[in-house]
Coordinates of all heavy atoms in Angstrom, one line a residue:
M1 N 0.9 -1.2 0.0 CA 0.0 0.0 0.0 C 0.9 1.2 0.0 O 1.9 1.3 0.7 CB -0.9 0.0 1.2 CG -1.9 -1.1 1.1 SD -3.4 -1.2 2.1 CE -3.7 0.3 2.8
K2 N 0.4 2.3 -0.7 CA 1.2 3.5 -0.8 C 0.3 4.6 -0.2 O -0.9 4.5 -0.1 CB 1.4 3.9 -2.3 CG 2.4 2.9 -3.0 CD 2.6 3.3 -4.5 CE 3.4 4.6 -4.6 NZ 3.7 5.0 -6.0
K3 N 1.0 5.7 0.1 CA 0.4 6.9 0.7 C 0.2 7.9 -0.4 O 1.0 8.1 -1.3 CB 1.2 7.5 1.8 CG 1.3 6.6 3.0 CD 2.0 7.3 4.2 CE 1.9 6.4 5.4 NZ 2.5 7.0 6.5
Y4 N -1.0 8.6 -0.3 CA -1.4 9.6 -1.3 C -1.9 10.8 -0.6 O -2.4 10.7 0.5 CB -2.5 9.0 -2.2 CG -2.1 7.8 -3.0 CD1 -2.2 6.5 -2.5 CD2 -1.5 8.0 -4.3 CE1 -1.8 5.4 -3.2 CE2 -1.1 6.9 -5.0 CZ -1.3 5.6 -4.5 OH -0.8 4.5 -5.2
R5 N -1.7 12.0 -1.2 CA -2.2 13.2 -0.7 C -3.6 13.4 -1.2 O -3.8 13.3 -2.4 CB -1.3 14.4 -1.1 CG -1.8 15.8 -0.9 CD -1.8 16.2 0.5 NE -0.5 16.1 1.1 CZ -0.3 16.1 2.4 NH1 -1.3 16.2 3.3 NH2 0.9 15.9 2.9
V6 N -4.6 13.8 -0.3 CA -5.9 14.0 -0.8 C -6.0 15.5 -1.3 O -5.6 16.4 -0.6 CB -6.9 13.9 0.4 CG1 -8.3 14.2 -0.1 CG2 -6.9 12.4 0.9
L7 N -6.3 15.6 -2.6 CA -6.4 16.9 -3.2 C -7.8 17.6 -3.1 O -7.9 18.8 -3.0 CB -6.0 16.8 -4.7 CG -4.6 16.3 -5.0 CD1 -4.4 16.1 -6.4 CD2 -3.5 17.1 -4.3
E8 N -8.8 16.7 -3.2 CA -10.2 17.2 -3.2 C -11.0 16.3 -2.2 O -10.8 15.1 -2.1 CB -10.9 17.1 -4.5 CG -10.2 18.0 -5.6 CD -10.6 19.5 -5.4 OE1 -11.7 19.8 -4.8 OE2 -9.8 20.3 -5.8
Q9 N -11.9 16.9 -1.5 CA -12.7 16.2 -0.5 C -13.5 15.1 -1.3 O -14.0 15.3 -2.4 CB -13.7 17.2 0.1 CG -14.7 16.5 1.0 CD -15.8 17.5 1.5 OE1 -15.5 18.7 1.5 NE2 -16.9 17.0 2.0
H10 N -13.6 13.9 -0.7 CA -14.3 12.8 -1.3 C -14.6 11.8 -0.2 O -14.0 11.8 0.9 CB -13.6 12.2 -2.5 CG -12.3 11.5 -2.1 ND1 -11.2 12.2 -1.9 CD2 -12.0 10.2 -1.8 CE1 -10.2 11.4 -1.6 NE2 -10.7 10.1 -1.5
F11 N -15.6 10.9 -0.5 CA -15.9 9.8 0.5 C -15.4 8.5 -0.1 O -15.7 8.2 -1.2 CB -17.5 9.8 0.6 CG -17.9 8.8 1.7 CD1 -17.8 9.2 3.0 CD2 -18.3 7.6 1.4 CE1 -18.2 8.3 4.0 CE2 -18.7 6.7 2.3 CZ -18.7 7.0 3.7
G12 N -14.7 7.8 0.8 CA -14.2 6.4 0.4 C -14.7 5.5 1.5 O -15.9 5.4 1.7
D13 N -13.8 4.9 2.2 CA -14.2 4.1 3.4 C -14.6 5.0 4.5 O -15.2 4.6 5.5 CB -13.1 3.1 3.8 CG -11.8 3.9 4.1 OD1 -11.5 4.9 3.5 OD2 -11.0 3.4 5.0
R14 N -14.3 6.3 4.4 CA -14.7 7.3 5.3 C -14.6 8.6 4.5 O -14.2 8.7 3.4 CB -13.9 7.4 6.6 CG -12.4 7.7 6.3 CD -11.6 7.9 7.6 NE -10.3 8.3 7.5 CZ -9.9 9.6 7.3 NH1 -10.8 10.6 7.3 NH2 -8.6 9.9 7.1
Q15 N -15.0 9.8 5.2 CA -14.8 11.1 4.5 C -13.4 11.5 4.5 O -12.7 11.5 5.6 CB -15.7 12.1 5.3 CG -15.7 13.5 4.6 CD -16.5 13.5 3.3 OE1 -17.5 12.9 3.2 NE2 -15.9 14.1 2.3
Y16 N -12.9 11.9 3.4 CA -11.5 12.4 3.3 C -11.5 13.9 2.9 O -12.3 14.3 2.1 CB -10.7 11.6 2.2 CG -10.3 10.2 2.7 CD1 -11.2 9.2 2.3 CD2 -9.2 10.0 3.5 CE1 -10.9 7.9 2.8 CE2 -8.9 8.7 3.9 CZ -9.8 7.7 3.6 OH -9.5 6.4 4.0
W17 N -10.7 14.7 3.6 CA -10.7 16.1 3.4 C -9.4 16.5 2.7 O -8.3 15.8 2.9 CB -10.8 16.8 4.7 CG -12.0 16.4 5.4 CD1 -12.2 15.5 6.4 CD2 -13.3 17.0 5.2 NE1 -13.5 15.4 6.8 CE2 -14.2 16.3 6.1 CE3 -13.8 18.0 4.4 CZ2 -15.5 16.6 6.2 CZ3 -15.2 18.3 4.5 CH2 -16.0 17.6 5.4
A18 N -9.4 17.5 1.9 CA -8.2 18.0 1.2 C -7.1 18.3 2.2 O -7.3 18.8 3.2 CB -8.5 19.3 0.4
G19 N -5.9 17.8 1.8 CA -4.7 18.0 2.7 C -4.4 16.7 3.5 O -3.3 16.6 4.0
E20 N -5.4 15.8 3.6 CA -5.1 14.6 4.4 C -4.2 13.6 3.6 O -4.0 13.8 2.4 CB -6.4 13.9 4.7 CG -7.2 14.5 5.8 CD -8.4 13.6 6.2 OE1 -8.2 12.6 7.0 OE2 -9.5 13.8 5.6
T21 N -3.7 12.6 4.3 CA -3.0 11.5 3.7 C -3.9 10.3 3.7 O -4.5 10.0 4.7 CB -1.7 11.2 4.5 OG1 -0.9 12.4 4.5 CG2 -0.9 10.1 3.8
R22 N -3.9 9.6 2.6 CA -4.7 8.4 2.4 C -3.9 7.3 2.0 O -3.0 7.4 1.1 CB -5.9 8.7 1.5 CG -6.8 7.5 1.3 CD -8.0 7.8 0.5 NE -8.8 6.6 0.4 CZ -9.9 6.5 -0.2 NH1 -10.4 7.5 -0.9 NH2 -10.6 5.4 -0.2
E23 N -4.0 6.1 2.5 CA -3.2 4.9 2.1 C -4.1 3.9 1.4 O -5.2 3.5 1.8 CB -2.7 4.3 3.4 CG -1.5 3.3 3.1 CD -0.8 2.9 4.4 OE1 -0.7 3.7 5.3 OE2 -0.3 1.8 4.4
L24 N -3.7 3.6 0.1 CA -4.4 2.7 -0.7 C -3.5 1.8 -1.5 O -2.3 2.1 -1.7 CB -5.2 3.5 -1.8 CG -6.2 4.5 -1.4 CD1 -6.5 5.4 -2.6 CD2 -7.5 3.7 -1.1
H25 N -4.1 0.8 -2.1 CA -3.4 -0.1 -3.1 C -3.3 0.7 -4.4 O -4.2 1.5 -4.7 CB -4.1 -1.4 -3.3 CG -4.0 -2.3 -2.1 ND1 -2.9 -3.0 -1.8 CD2 -4.9 -2.6 -1.2 CE1 -3.1 -3.7 -0.7 NE2 -4.4 -3.5 -0.3
E26 N -2.2 0.6 -5.1 CA -2.1 1.3 -6.4 C -3.2 1.1 -7.3 O -3.6 2.1 -8.0 CB -0.7 0.9 -7.0 CG 0.5 1.4 -6.3 CD 1.8 1.1 -6.9 OE1 1.9 1.4 -8.1 OE2 2.6 0.5 -6.3
L27 N -3.7 -0.1 -7.4 CA -4.9 -0.3 -8.4 C -6.1 0.5 -7.9 O -6.8 1.0 -8.8 CB -5.2 -1.8 -8.5 CG -4.1 -2.7 -9.1 CD1 -4.4 -4.1 -9.0 CD2 -3.9 -2.3 -10.6
D28 N -6.4 0.5 -6.7 CA -7.5 1.3 -6.2 C -7.3 2.8 -6.3 O -8.3 3.5 -6.6 CB -7.8 1.0 -4.7 CG -8.2 -0.5 -4.4 OD1 -8.7 -1.1 -5.3 OD2 -7.8 -1.0 -3.3
A29 N -6.1 3.2 -6.3 CA -5.8 4.6 -6.4 C -5.9 5.2 -7.8 O -6.1 6.4 -8.0 CB -4.4 4.9 -5.8
A30 N -5.7 4.3 -8.8 CA -5.6 4.8 -10.2 C -6.8 5.6 -10.6 O -6.6 6.7 -11.2 CB -5.5 3.6 -11.1
A31 N -8.0 5.2 -10.3 CA -9.2 5.9 -10.7 C -9.3 7.3 -9.9 O -9.7 8.3 -10.5 CB -10.5 5.2 -10.4
L32 N -8.9 7.3 -8.7 CA -8.9 8.5 -7.9 C -7.9 9.5 -8.4 O -8.1 10.8 -8.4 CB -8.7 8.2 -6.4 CG -9.8 7.3 -5.8 CD1 -9.4 7.0 -4.3 CD2 -11.2 8.0 -5.8
I33 N -6.7 9.0 -8.8 CA -5.7 9.9 -9.4 C -6.2 10.5 -10.7 O -6.1 11.7 -10.9 CB -4.4 9.1 -9.6 CG1 -3.8 8.7 -8.2 CG2 -3.4 9.9 -10.4 CD1 -2.6 7.8 -8.3
E34 N -6.8 9.7 -11.5 CA -7.3 10.1 -12.8 C -8.4 11.2 -12.6 O -8.5 12.2 -13.4 CB -7.9 9.0 -13.6 CG -8.2 9.3 -15.0 CD -8.6 8.1 -15.8 OE1 -8.0 7.1 -15.7 OE2 -9.6 8.2 -16.6
A35 N -9.2 11.0 -11.6 CA -10.3 12.0 -11.3 C -9.8 13.3 -10.6 O -10.5 14.2 -10.4 CB -11.3 11.3 -10.4
G36 N -8.5 13.3 -10.2 CA -7.9 14.4 -9.6 C -8.2 14.6 -8.1 O -8.1 15.7 -7.5
L37 N -8.6 13.5 -7.5 CA -8.9 13.5 -6.1 C -7.8 13.3 -5.2 O -7.7 13.8 -4.0 CB -10.0 12.5 -5.8 CG -11.4 12.7 -6.5 CD1 -12.3 11.5 -6.2 CD2 -12.0 14.0 -6.1
I38 N -6.8 12.5 -5.6 CA -5.6 12.2 -4.8 C -4.3 12.3 -5.8 O -4.5 12.3 -7.0 CB -5.6 10.8 -4.2 CG1 -5.7 9.7 -5.2 CG2 -6.8 10.7 -3.2 CD1 -5.5 8.3 -4.6
A39 N -3.2 12.4 -5.1 CA -1.9 12.4 -5.9 C -0.9 11.7 -5.1 O -0.9 11.6 -3.8 CB -1.4 13.9 -6.1
E40 N 0.1 11.1 -5.8 CA 1.1 10.4 -5.1 C 2.0 11.4 -4.3 O 2.1 12.5 -4.7 CB 2.0 9.7 -6.1 CG 1.4 8.5 -6.8 CD 2.4 7.6 -7.6 OE1 3.5 7.6 -7.2 OE2 1.9 7.2 -8.7
I41 N 2.5 10.9 -3.2 CA 3.3 11.7 -2.3 C 4.8 11.4 -2.6 O 5.2 10.2 -2.6 CB 3.0 11.4 -0.9 CG1 1.6 11.8 -0.5 CG2 4.0 12.1 0.0 CD1 1.2 11.6 0.9
D42 N 5.5 12.4 -2.9 CA 7.0 12.3 -3.0 C 7.5 13.5 -2.2 O 6.8 14.4 -1.8 CB 7.5 12.2 -4.4 CG 7.3 13.5 -5.2 OD1 6.7 14.5 -4.7 OD2 7.6 13.5 -6.4
G43 N 8.8 13.5 -2.0 CA 9.4 14.5 -1.1 C 9.1 15.9 -1.6 O 8.7 16.8 -0.8
E44 N 9.3 16.2 -2.9 CA 9.1 17.6 -3.4 C 7.6 17.9 -3.4 O 7.3 19.1 -3.0 CB 9.6 17.7 -4.8 CG 11.1 17.7 -4.9 CD 11.6 17.8 -6.3 OE1 10.9 18.5 -7.1 OE2 12.7 17.3 -6.6
A45 N 6.8 17.0 -3.8 CA 5.3 17.3 -3.8 C 4.8 17.6 -2.4 O 4.0 18.4 -2.2 CB 4.6 16.2 -4.5
E46 N 5.3 16.8 -1.4 CA 4.9 16.9 0.0 C 5.2 18.3 0.5 O 4.4 19.0 1.1 CB 5.5 15.8 0.8 CG 5.1 15.9 2.3 CD 3.7 15.5 2.5 OE1 3.0 14.9 1.6 OE2 3.1 15.8 3.6
A47 N 6.5 18.7 0.2 CA 6.9 20.1 0.7 C 6.2 21.2 0.0 O 5.8 22.2 0.6 CB 8.4 20.2 0.4
A48 N 5.9 21.0 -1.3 CA 5.1 22.1 -2.0 C 3.7 22.2 -1.5 O 3.2 23.3 -1.3 CB 5.1 21.7 -3.5
A49 N 3.1 21.0 -1.2 CA 1.7 21.0 -0.7 C 1.6 21.7 0.6 O 0.7 22.5 0.9 CB 1.2 19.6 -0.7
K50 N 2.6 21.4 1.5 CA 2.6 21.9 2.8 C 2.8 23.4 2.8 O 2.2 24.2 3.5 CB 3.7 21.3 3.7 CG 3.6 21.6 5.1 CD 4.6 20.7 5.9 CE 4.0 20.3 7.2 NZ 4.8 19.4 7.9
A51 N 3.8 23.9 1.9 CA 4.0 25.3 1.7 C 2.8 26.1 1.2 O 2.5 27.2 1.7 CB 5.2 25.5 0.8
A52 N 2.1 25.4 0.3 CA 0.9 26.1 -0.3 C -0.2 26.2 0.8 O -0.9 27.2 0.8 CB 0.4 25.2 -1.4
Q53 N -0.4 25.2 1.6 CA -1.3 25.3 2.7 C -1.0 26.4 3.7 O -1.9 27.1 4.1 CB -1.5 23.9 3.4 CG -2.2 22.9 2.7 CD -2.3 21.6 3.5 OE1 -1.5 21.3 4.4 NE2 -3.3 20.8 3.1
E54 N 0.3 26.5 4.1 CA 0.7 27.5 5.0 C 0.5 28.9 4.4 O 0.0 29.8 5.1 CB 2.1 27.3 5.4 CG 2.3 26.1 6.3 CD 3.8 25.7 6.6 OE1 4.6 26.5 6.2 OE2 4.0 24.7 7.2
A55 N 0.8 29.0 3.1 CA 0.6 30.3 2.5 C -0.8 30.7 2.4 O -1.2 31.9 2.6 CB 1.2 30.3 1.0
E56 N -1.7 29.7 2.1 CA -3.1 30.0 2.0 C -3.7 30.4 3.4 O -4.5 31.4 3.5 CB -3.9 28.7 1.6 CG -5.3 28.9 1.3 CD -6.0 27.7 0.8 OE1 -5.3 26.9 0.1 OE2 -7.2 27.5 1.1
K57 N -3.2 29.8 4.5 CA -3.7 30.2 5.8 C -3.2 31.6 6.1 O -3.9 32.4 6.7 CB -3.1 29.2 6.9 CG -3.8 27.8 6.9 CD -3.2 26.9 7.9 CE -3.8 25.6 7.8 NZ -3.2 24.7 8.8
A58 N -1.9 31.9 5.8 CA -1.4 33.2 6.1 C -2.1 34.3 5.3 O -2.5 35.3 5.8 CB 0.1 33.2 5.8
Q59 N -2.4 34.0 4.0 CA -3.1 35.0 3.2 C -4.5 35.1 3.7 O -5.0 36.2 3.7 CB -3.1 34.5 1.7 CG -3.7 35.5 0.8 CD -3.6 35.0 -0.6 OE1 -3.8 33.8 -0.9 NE2 -3.4 36.0 -1.6
G60 N -5.2 34.1 4.0 CA -6.5 34.2 4.6 C -6.6 35.0 5.8 O -7.5 35.8 6.0
G61 N -5.7 34.9 6.7 CA -5.6 35.7 7.9 C -5.4 37.2 7.6 O -6.1 38.0 8.2
D62 N -4.6 37.5 6.6 CA -4.3 38.9 6.2 C -5.5 39.5 5.6 O -5.9 40.6 5.9 CB -3.1 38.9 5.2 CG -1.8 38.6 5.8 OD1 -1.7 38.7 7.1 OD2 -0.9 38.3 5.1
L63 N -6.2 38.7 4.8 CA -7.5 39.2 4.1 C -8.5 39.5 5.2 O -9.2 40.5 5.1 CB -8.0 38.2 3.1 CG -7.1 38.1 1.9 CD1 -7.7 37.0 1.0 CD2 -6.9 39.3 1.1
L64 N -8.7 38.7 6.1 CA -9.7 38.9 7.2 C -9.3 40.1 8.0 O -10.2 41.0 8.3 CB -9.7 37.7 8.1 CG -10.8 37.7 9.2 CD1 -12.2 37.9 8.6 CD2 -10.7 36.5 10.1
D65 N -8.1 40.3 8.3 CA -7.6 41.5 9.1 C -7.9 42.8 8.3 O -8.4 43.7 8.8 CB -6.1 41.4 9.5 CG -5.8 40.3 10.4 OD1 -6.8 39.9 11.1 OD2 -4.7 39.9 10.6
K66 N -7.6 42.8 7.0 CA -7.9 43.9 6.2 C -9.3 44.3 6.1 O -9.7 45.4 6.2 CB -7.3 43.7 4.8 CG -5.8 43.7 4.7 CD -5.3 43.4 3.3 CE -3.8 43.3 3.3 NZ -3.3 42.9 2.0
A67 N -10.2 43.3 6.0 CA -11.6 43.5 5.8 C -12.2 44.0 7.1 O -13.0 45.0 7.1 CB -12.3 42.2 5.5
E68 N -11.7 43.5 8.3 CA -12.2 44.0 9.5 C -11.7 45.4 9.8 O -12.5 46.2 10.3 CB -11.8 43.1 10.7 CG -12.5 41.7 10.6 CD -11.9 40.8 11.6 OE1 -10.9 41.1 12.3 OE2 -12.5 39.7 11.8
A69 N -10.5 45.7 9.5 CA -10.0 47.0 9.7 C -10.6 48.1 8.8 O -10.8 49.2 9.2 CB -8.4 47.0 9.5
G70 N -10.9 47.7 7.5 CA -11.4 48.7 6.6 C -12.9 49.0 6.7 O -13.4 50.0 6.3
A71 N -13.7 48.1 7.3 CA -15.1 48.2 7.4 C -15.6 49.5 8.1 O -16.4 50.2 7.6 CB -15.8 47.0 7.9
P72 N -15.1 49.8 9.3 CA -15.6 50.9 10.0 C -15.3 52.2 9.3 O -16.0 53.2 9.4 CB -14.8 50.9 11.4 CG -14.5 49.5 11.5 CD -14.2 49.0 10.2
Q73 N -14.2 52.3 8.5 CA -13.9 53.5 7.8 C -14.8 53.8 6.7 O -15.0 54.9 6.3 CB -12.5 53.4 7.3 CG -11.4 53.4 8.3 CD -10.0 53.0 7.8 OE1 -9.9 52.9 6.6 NE2 -9.0 53.0 8.7
N74 N -15.5 52.8 6.2 CA -16.4 52.9 5.1 C -17.8 53.2 5.5 O -18.7 53.5 4.7 CB -16.4 51.6 4.2 CG -15.1 51.3 3.6 OD1 -14.3 52.3 3.4 ND2 -14.8 50.1 3.4
K75 N -18.1 53.2 6.8 CA -19.4 53.4 7.3 C -19.6 54.8 7.8 O -18.7 55.5 8.2 CB -19.7 52.4 8.5 CG -19.5 51.0 8.2 CD -20.5 50.5 7.2 CE -20.3 49.0 6.8 NZ -21.2 48.6 5.8
G76 N -20.9 55.3 7.7 CA -21.2 56.6 8.3 C -21.2 56.5 9.8 O -21.1 55.5 10.4
T77 N -21.4 57.7 10.4 CA -21.4 57.8 11.9 C -22.7 57.3 12.4 O -22.9 57.2 13.7 CB -21.1 59.2 12.3 OG1 -22.1 60.1 11.8 CG2 -19.7 59.6 11.9
G78 N -23.8 57.2 11.6 CA -25.1 56.8 12.1 C -25.9 58.0 12.5 O -27.1 57.8 12.9
D79 N -25.4 59.2 12.4 CA -26.2 60.4 12.8 C -26.8 61.1 11.5 O -27.3 62.2 11.7 CB -25.3 61.4 13.5 CG -24.1 61.9 12.7 OD1 -24.0 61.5 11.5 OD2 -23.3 62.7 13.3
G80 N -26.8 60.4 10.4 CA -27.4 61.0 9.2 C -26.4 61.9 8.4 O -26.7 62.4 7.3
N81 N -25.2 62.1 8.9 CA -24.2 62.8 8.3 C -23.1 61.9 7.7 O -21.9 62.1 8.1 CB -23.6 63.9 9.2 CG -24.5 64.9 9.7 OD1 -25.4 65.3 8.9 ND2 -24.4 65.3 11.0
A82 N -23.4 61.1 6.9 CA -22.5 60.1 6.3 C -21.4 60.6 5.5 O -21.3 61.5 4.8 CB -23.2 59.0 5.5

């Protein structure tokens, strides 16, 4: 059995979420690889996937902070003198 990185959420013997590792026989994995649901794990791909997840988390946090900080500046004072 080989280990694969889950690329897209799907249901197999249980629910698998993007970013998880799934262990399967190569023959069982072939259809999932073709469908783009999983990918083989190798050293470079593993590092790239991890870096992409961390970058996405960091970017998501920055976007949330910007949205929260910018919202009050775009609003009127509520006294009719917007």
Side-chain angles (χ1 to χ4, degrees):
M1 293 196 15
K2 290 179 70 174
K3 290 187 178 184
Y4 299 88
R5 168 74 53 200
V6 176
L7 302 175
E8 296 287 334
Q9 173 186 343
H10 64 278
F11 187 80
D13 57 328
R14 66 173 183 84
Q15 185 68 45
Y16 289 94
W17 302 95
E20 284 189 84
T21 301
R22 183 172 180 183
E23 197 168 327
L24 297 164
H25 291 284
E26 289 182 52
L27 293 174
D28 296 331
L32 297 175
I33 291 171
E34 189 174 319
L37 298 175
I38 63 173
E40 289 188 36
I41 295 177
D42 63 5
E44 288 182 31
E46 182 70 17
K50 194 171 215 172
Q53 283 181 339
E54 290 174 8
E56 185 177 327
K57 286 180 185 177
Q59 187 179 33
D62 291 341
L63 294 175
L64 182 60
D65 293 342
K66 289 178 186 175
E68 290 174 355
Q73 295 172 357
N74 296 334
K75 304 293 180 188
T77 59
D79 61 2
N81 295 325

